[in-house]
Amino acid sequence: LLAAHVPVLRGVQPISWLYVIGVSLFQTEAWLQKVMQLGMAAHVLESFYTAYLCRSKGFSFQNTWGWCGQTLLVGGFAINDLRYLIKQAEASQSK
């Protein structure tokens, strides 16, 4: 649905070679779009999970938005960093 409203960039360098690789992997442009949409949906869901995790740990509104934005752009790697930092903070508080 969203891909129908995004301008076509397959002729723009370096996106053109990414497009060629994507279509060769997924056989059609429609499958490539579906995979990209699923990837975007996964990042949005990860961002919601990050918001839940931040709010449950008492993070401020600004920090929660920062972590959500980072997770939206980077994905699961940001969640791993957040979990590591939470674990470190909890370990230092228990000492």
Side-chain angles (χ1 to χ4, degrees), residues 34-50 68 70-77 79:
K34 287 177 186 171
V35 168
M36 295 301 291
Q37 290 168 352
L38 286 173
M40 286 188 281
H43 281 268
V44 168
L45 291 175
E46 290 168 344
S47 186
F48 283 131
Y49 172 70
T50 301
C68 288
Q70 184 176 350
T71 304
L72 192 60
L73 294 175
V74 179
F77 297 111
I79 295 174

Side-chain angles (χ1 to χ4, degrees), residues 3-63:
H5 302 289
V6 176
V8 178
L9 299 173
R10 62 179 158 231
V12 178
Q13 295 292 337
I15 296 173
S16 61
W17 62 270
L18 290 172
Y19 172 79
V20 170
I21 291 170
V23 170
S24 65
L25 283 173
F26 301 109
Q27 280 85 38
T28 65
E29 187 175 327
W31 274 107
L32 176 61
Q33 286 179 349
K34 287 177 186 171
V35 168
M36 295 301 291
Q37 290 168 352
L38 286 173
M40 286 188 281
H43 281 268
V44 168
L45 291 175
E46 290 168 344
S47 186
F48 283 131
Y49 172 70
T50 301
Y52 165 76
L53 189 61
C54 287
R55 297 310 290 166
S56 69
K57 297 297 180 181
F59 283 34
S60 70
F61 183 76
Q62 291 85 5
N63 284 335

Side-chain angles (χ1 to χ4, degrees), residues 60-91:
S60 70
F61 183 76
Q62 291 85 5
N63 284 335
T64 300
W65 271 103
W67 278 106
C68 288
Q70 184 176 350
T71 304
L72 192 60
L73 294 175
V74 179
F77 297 111
I79 295 174
N80 290 337
D81 288 345
L82 178 61
R83 284 184 180 162
Y84 176 74
L85 292 173
I86 289 172
K87 196 178 291 186
Q88 271 188 332
E90 289 174 348

